[in-house]
């Protein structure tokens, strides 16, 4: 990897596909969740056709989303798996439509939420700038090589699914994501293409998720910017007693808290609510920088 990947640079530049890049050094960004699936846990079936999906992408962009994350397979616990052909039939027409209608003039970036290399390859060809890999490069082989070849940005997520976790939630993050970064380095991937994701809700109980929030700042030792996806997750329901569709205020609270803890990208269903929460957090971070001379 280039530019000392395990040390935070003065500016966090995220290099993504099609010649684009994002400066993450000062401001947080919102990623809108666009599930084109019939069975996602809070919005399954609502955006299963291209027209509805494009309208939702446009609404999220209007609300302040800088990135639209398109997914064709539900990752909720117990969801039925789909094959690659089904996933591709769902996501590729939507990615192309968003690329044609939004990604140019509005400068909206497109992410594909997939752990499959071939789906990711086709998605980048259709206009996606970012690959959101929930397997953390530890699923199908070749994802890091694909990102190197195409120049796509890569979200590398931590997961506890399908393996034995270490007892300490932070230690498990360091070991798993450290292994992911080693895979990326071996593939010759530029570190500036990588953003990390601690994988809230992926084989983590409520206590582990809140511990991860409370100790989030320790993750910066890994030396890359972080994306977080807490939106409507079960642990927020445990804290508030609310069902999935009524957890957007709780989600916005985590957006503010995690921005102050140093996260940079926030993957959410309700962009407008988290935009306001992020604006308040940014104002506080700006004031902190003025008074202490240190960035958050």
């Amino acid at each position: 990897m280039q530019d000392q990947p395990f040390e935070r640079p003065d500016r966090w530049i995220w290099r993504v596909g099609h010649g684009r890049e994002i400066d993450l050094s000062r401001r947080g960004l919102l990623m809108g969740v666009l599930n084109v699936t019939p069975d996602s846990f809070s919005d399954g079936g609502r955006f299963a056709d291209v027209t509805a999906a494009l309208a939702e992408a446009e609404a999220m962009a209007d609300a302040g989303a800088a990135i639209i994350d398109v997914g064709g397979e539900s990752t909720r616990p117990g969801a039925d798996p789909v094959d690659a052909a089904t996933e591709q039939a769902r996501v590729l027409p939507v990615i192309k439509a968003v690329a044609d209608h939004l990604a140019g003039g509005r400068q909206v970036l497109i992410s594909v939420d997939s752990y499959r290399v071939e789906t990711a390859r086709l998605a980048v060809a259709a206009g996606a700038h970012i690959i959101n890999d929930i397997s953390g490069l530890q699923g199908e082989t070749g994802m890091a090589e694909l990102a190197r070849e195409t120049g796509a940005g890569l979200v590398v997520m931590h997961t506890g699914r399908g393996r034995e976790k270490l007892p300490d939630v932070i230690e498990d993050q360091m070991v798993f994501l450290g292994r992911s970064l080693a895979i990326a380095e071996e593939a010759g991937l530029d570190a500036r293409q990588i953003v990390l994701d601690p994988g809230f809700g992926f084989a983590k109980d409520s206590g582990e998720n809140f511990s991860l929030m409370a100790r989030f700042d320790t993750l910066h030792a890994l030396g890359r910017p972080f994306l977080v996806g807490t939106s409507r997750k079960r642990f927020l329901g445990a804290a508030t007693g609310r069902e999935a569709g009524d957890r957007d205020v709780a989600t916005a609270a985590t957006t503010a808290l995690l921005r102050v803890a140093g996260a940079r990208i926030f993957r959410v269903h309700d962009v407008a609510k988290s935009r306001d929460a992020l604006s308040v957090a940014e104002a506080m971070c700006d004031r902190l920088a003025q008074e202490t001379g240190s960035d958050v």
Side-chain angles (χ1 to χ4, degrees):
M1 288 189 187
Q2 301 176 18
D3 287 357
Q4 310 247 343
F6 298 106
E7 296 180 9
R8 177 176 170 174
D10 292 335
R11 297 177 71 220
W12 269 342
I13 300 298
W14 190 19
R15 293 189 169 178
V16 300
H18 306 290
R20 303 278 290 276
E21 61 181 32
I22 314 171
D23 185 352
L24 298 174
S25 59
R26 289 299 306 274
R27 286 286 181 268
L29 299 177
L30 296 169
M31 172 188 276
V33 179
L34 184 56
N35 290 318
V36 291
T37 60
D39 59 344
S40 291
F41 75 97
S42 70
D43 56 2
R46 291 184 59 201
F47 313 116
D49 69 84
V50 174
T51 300
L54 181 58
E56 178 65 7
E58 185 169 16
M60 288 191 292
D62 287 343
I67 307 168
I68 307 296
D69 189 42
V70 182
E73 180 177 3
S74 176
T75 57
R76 64 177 174 81
D80 293 330
V82 302
D83 59 27
T86 300
E87 179 188 42
Q88 291 160 19
R90 291 172 177 174
V91 302
L92 295 178
V94 173
I95 289 170
K96 187 176 188 310
V98 175
D100 289 346
H101 292 276
L102 291 179
R106 299 198 192 193
Q107 298 295 296
V108 173
L109 297 173
I110 304 166
S111 170
V112 60
D113 182 358
S114 181
Y115 55 86
R116 293 186 175 95
V117 174
E118 187 57 22
T119 299
R121 185 185 305 278
L122 293 170
V124 173
H129 306 85
I130 299 159
I131 302 163
N132 185 3
D133 180 10
I134 65 167
S135 76
L137 302 181
Q138 297 181 47
E140 290 189 2
T141 58
M143 190 69 87
E145 287 82 0
L146 174 64
R148 185 197 67 225
E149 293 165 5
T150 61
L154 190 62
V155 178
V156 176
M157 196 192 81
H158 174 281
T159 182
R161 293 181 182 177
R163 65 182 182 85
E164 185 174 347
K165 298 185 299 180
L166 296 172
D168 182 77
V169 66
I170 297 298
E171 185 180 1
D172 196 71
Q173 292 274 331
M174 295 298 185
V175 171
F176 183 92
L177 292 175
R179 186 179 304 124
S180 297
L181 289 171
I183 291 168
E185 183 173 18
E186 185 176 349
L189 186 64
D190 188 335
R192 291 167 293 186
Q193 290 174 250
I194 299 171
V195 162
L196 301 177
D197 178 351
F200 283 97
F202 280 77
K204 300 172 182 68
D205 62 27
S206 292
E208 289 171 321
N209 283 302
F210 282 111
S211 290
L212 190 54
M213 284 187 62
R215 300 167 63 192
F216 188 84
D217 61 342
T218 62
L219 298 178
H220 297 307
L222 289 165
R224 295 307 304 150
F226 270 88
L227 175 151
V228 292
T230 62
S231 189
R232 300 179 180 174
K233 292 287 175 73
R234 188 177 301 177
F235 77 100
L236 299 181
T240 63
R242 296 189 179 277
E243 296 300 318
D246 293 323
R247 296 173 189 163
D248 291 321
V249 173
T251 299
T254 66
T255 295
L257 290 167
L258 288 167
R259 174 63 190 91
V260 173
R264 284 302 191 272
I265 304 171
F266 305 87
R267 184 180 183 273
V268 299
H269 294 82
D270 189 318
V271 174
K273 286 187 176 67
S274 275
R275 178 196 61 205
D276 287 353
L278 183 59
S279 295
V280 172
E282 294 289 4
M284 195 187 86
C285 289
D286 285 346
R287 191 65 185 178
L288 183 64
Q290 290 174 22
E291 294 188 357
T292 67
S294 61
D295 291 334
V296 177

